[in-house]
Amino acid sequence: MELFASVPCSVSSQCSKLQERCSRKTGHTVLLQLQKDLLDYRGLGISVLELHHRSPEFAVVLDDTRAGLRELLKIPENYKILFLQCGASGQFSAIPFNFIGLKEARRADFVITGPWSAEAANEARKLGEVRVVHPEQTDYTIFPDPSKWHLSPDSSYLYYCANDSISGMEFHFIPDSKETVLISDMSSNFLSKPLDVCRFGVIFAAAQMNLGCAGVTVVLVREDLLESSLSRCPTVFDYKLQADGITSSPPCYRCPVDPKCRSRMNILFRVGGPDGSDCLEQTFVNKAAERGMISLKSHRSVGGICASLFNVTLEETQKLAEFMISFKKEHI
């Protein structure tokens, strides 16, 4: 823990929890479980690689992964967690398509500290103006002095690569982007240390470094930025279209409570549309009871379903989520 002796207590505590969680399953244990799942995933008789991407089983895999990331990095609820294709190079194009139009000037500020940030800047130039905020460097061996950076107030975002795997240079601080949205490529050091996600508008990381298979990319994006993509943004790069969850699902489940004030203990929702369907909700309650999930009927004054999480384990919560997915597939 000497490495973190000089950081704030909150960050040190976050690191301790990260270490504790990682110690529960060593890399060897994870690989053995993966080996088993490649042959027979949870007794289904098929490989995890054969799961349909819209199946209830795969939905659980995604939900578990999102929950794990949110817990490890304390990612706020107003950040979407996306799992996308095309690797980091795809995000070099996706970032300007989604965010260079945040301000009318269509300008982006860049800190260039290696080949990866230089390549990202070249992609951004195809859609707008790019300003390198520091004097030109002859090679990538020293960071440009932050006190000499010239940030433009009308730039849509400030972009930097947190760790360039080619130049061998890593930021040991988070740049001050002033009032500009901060965006970072963290492909090479994501999950290697605690992170104050709230300082960023967008973080992305190619998974083959610390997370998983090549080609997969994790993107953390603040929700208020999702409405800013250019009109000609390709569908595969449009973050808003990629973002999903219970509020964007077909009209099966609807929560009547505003997202800003929803209870974490009493989860209210209607089944069968905004106003619910008495018949469908009763079927939901009956089917849930057959699986050992009881007392889901909400108070008669409001109707619908209420999942109260008092003394409920994570496994029991996951069981309810799996049931909701299968019920929707069967009845809607």
Side-chain angles (χ1 to χ4, degrees):
M1 290 301 295
E2 291 80 7
L3 178 63
F4 299 98
S6 62
V7 301
C9 293
S10 59
V11 176
S12 179
S13 173
Q14 184 179 347
C15 179
S16 297
K17 188 167 184 180
L18 176 62
Q19 291 174 325
E20 177 185 351
R21 182 179 176 90
C22 290
S23 66
R24 296 176 195 166
K25 283 192 175 183
T26 64
H28 183 65
T29 303
V30 171
L31 288 174
L32 288 175
Q33 183 62 47
L34 179 60
Q35 182 185 55
K36 179 181 177 181
D37 289 342
L38 282 173
L39 295 175
D40 183 5
Y41 181 69
R42 298 191 179 183
L44 294 176
I46 61 173
S47 167
V48 65
L49 299 178
E50 298 176 82
L51 292 177
H52 191 278
H53 67 286
R54 297 188 187 278
S55 68
E57 293 80 13
F58 187 70
V60 172
V61 173
L62 286 180
D63 290 343
D64 286 350
T65 307
R66 284 194 182 99
L69 274 177
R70 200 173 290 279
E71 177 186 351
L72 283 172
L73 291 178
K74 296 189 179 299
I75 300 171
E77 290 298 325
N78 66 323
Y79 282 76
K80 292 290 186 181
I81 302 175
L82 310 178
F83 300 109
L84 305 179
Q85 302 174 12
C86 305
S89 294
Q91 302 312 307
F92 295 165
S93 297
I95 292 297
F97 265 121
N98 280 277
F99 307 118
I100 206 163
L102 278 170
K103 294 182 180 177
E104 187 176 355
R106 289 198 178 183
R107 177 181 295 126
D109 285 347
F110 272 75
V111 182
I112 308 295
T113 54
W116 293 125
S117 47
E119 185 175 327
N122 286 336
E123 290 300 312
R125 287 189 178 98
K126 298 175 182 178
L127 296 169
E129 179 187 350
V130 166
R131 292 181 67 259
V132 179
V133 301
H134 53 81
E136 183 178 353
Q137 296 173 277
T138 56
D139 54 20
Y140 304 120
T141 57
I142 188 170
F143 276 119
D145 183 356
S147 66
K148 297 181 180 179
W149 294 2
H150 299 288
L151 304 183
S152 174
D154 59 354
S155 285
S156 295
Y157 57 85
L158 172 64
Y159 179 104
Y160 78 104
C161 179
N163 183 89
D164 193 296
S165 57
I166 297 179
S167 69
M169 295 179 63
E170 180 178 12
F171 278 79
H172 297 295
F173 64 95
I174 298 176
D176 182 4
S177 62
K178 310 300 181 185
E179 300 300 319
T180 305
V181 172
L182 184 61
I183 297 179
S184 181
D185 172 3
M186 295 191 178
S187 294
S188 297
N189 62 356
F190 190 63
L191 288 184
S192 67
K193 58 185 178 180
L195 178 65
D196 186 0
V197 175
C198 293
R199 296 278 300 276
F200 299 85
V202 182
I203 295 169
F204 71 88
Q208 71 267 23
M209 301 296 184
N210 287 334
L211 297 176
C213 301
V216 177
T217 306
V218 175
V219 177
L220 312 182
V221 54
R222 209 172 64 216
E223 289 182 349
D224 64 291
L225 301 175
L226 289 174
E227 302 285 348
S228 57
S229 64
L230 300 180
S231 59
R232 55 196 174 106
C233 177
T235 299
V236 71
F237 288 152
D238 194 323
Y239 288 159
K240 181 173 175 54
L241 293 179
Q242 303 291 352
D244 57 15
I246 191 171
T247 55
S248 61
S249 61
C252 177
Y253 304 113
R254 281 291 181 268
C255 178
V257 183
D258 189 284
K260 297 175 183 174
C261 55
R262 287 178 182 170
S263 170
R264 293 175 298 128
M265 300 304 301
N266 307 98
I267 315 302
L268 275 68
F269 59 94
R270 304 305 302 256
V271 182
D275 298 320
S277 162
D278 292 338
C279 180
L280 205 55
E281 288 176 345
Q282 188 58 55
T283 302
F284 182 94
V285 170
N286 294 340
K287 293 287 186 181
E290 293 174 4
R291 292 162 174 76
M293 294 175 283
I294 60 175
S295 301
L296 284 173
K297 193 73 173 176
S298 186
H299 193 276
R300 61 181 179 275
S301 63
V302 294
I305 309 296
C306 178
S308 294
L309 303 185
F310 308 119
N311 301 315
V312 174
T313 66
L314 177 60
E315 290 73 20
E316 291 168 333
T317 306
Q318 291 171 336
K319 182 180 177 182
L320 173 61
E322 292 172 15
F323 166 67
M324 290 176 68
I325 293 170
S326 63
F327 183 89
K328 171 185 169 183
K329 187 175 180 180
E330 181 180 352
H331 294 277
I332 303 298

